């Protein structure tokens, strides 16, 4: 039974490890994809638009976020927004999993914010901008 749980755990961890690796290598791409999925999904669920129009809205959001990420001021704003968003999501999950323990929640928020901010700044260095 332990082997079954071990195999199941490895199979479940592969997508998580792939996502984390992709985030570390291409944080701008990940931010753009998340923006595209969010905008397209919200357009479909809130405004009840046709799926083809939702895909176009998602594509426009992807292009806009990618373009702004290559600009100096746009990158700083998007990096700050993405950092706060990812840190909030991580803090929310830990808060839910620990039954509302604020120390773990704030700790996770700060650690996640630091890691995501450093990922963004490393991408900025690799791109060659300040």
């Amino acid at each position: 039974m332990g082997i079954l749980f071990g195999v199941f755990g490895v199979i479940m961890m592969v997508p998580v490890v792939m996502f984390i690796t992709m985030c570390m290598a291409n944080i701008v791409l990940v931010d753009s994809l998340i923006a595209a999925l969010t905008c397209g999904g919200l357009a479909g669920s809130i405004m009840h638009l046709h799926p083809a129009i939702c895909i176009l809205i998602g594509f426009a959001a992807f292009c806009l976020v990618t373009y702004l990420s290559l600009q100096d001021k746009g990158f700083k704003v998007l990096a700050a927004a993405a950092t706060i968003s990812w840190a909030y999501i991580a803090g929310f999950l830990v808060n839910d999993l620990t039954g509302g323990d604020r120390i773990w929640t704030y700790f996770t928020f700060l650690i996640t914010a630091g890691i995501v901010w450093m990922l963004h700044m490393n991408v900025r260095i690799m791109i060659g901008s300040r």
Side-chain angles (χ1 to χ4, degrees):
M1 190 69 153
I3 293 173
L4 180 64
F5 284 127
V7 170
F8 183 72
V10 168
I11 291 171
M12 294 304 291
M13 287 304 295
V14 167
V16 173
V17 171
M18 288 174 58
F19 179 74
I20 291 171
T21 304
M22 189 172 104
C23 286
M24 292 175 69
N26 303 308
I27 193 75
V28 172
L29 176 66
V30 172
D31 290 343
S32 299
L33 287 172
I34 296 295
L37 292 172
T38 302
C39 290
L42 288 176
S45 65
I46 292 175
M47 295 189 285
H48 305 292
L49 297 176
H50 191 275
I53 295 173
C54 295
I55 291 171
L56 290 176
I57 290 171
F59 180 72
F62 178 85
C63 292
L64 180 66
V65 170
T66 302
Y67 173 75
L68 290 175
S69 293
L70 298 176
Q71 308 302 314
D72 192 40
K73 290 180 182 178
F75 177 79
K76 291 176 183 175
V77 170
L78 289 173
T83 298
I84 292 170
S85 298
W86 285 114
Y88 176 78
I89 291 168
F92 178 79
L93 289 173
V94 167
N95 185 49
D96 191 41
L97 292 172
T98 61
D101 187 354
R102 291 182 187 252
I103 293 174
W104 278 115
T105 301
Y106 295 143
F107 175 77
T108 304
F109 181 89
L110 291 173
I111 294 297
T112 304
I115 291 170
V116 172
W117 183 255
M118 293 307 283
L119 287 172
H120 278 94
M121 292 304 109
N122 286 337
V123 164
R124 198 64 175 165
I125 291 169
M126 287 190 296
I127 290 174
S129 300
R130 298 174 213 194

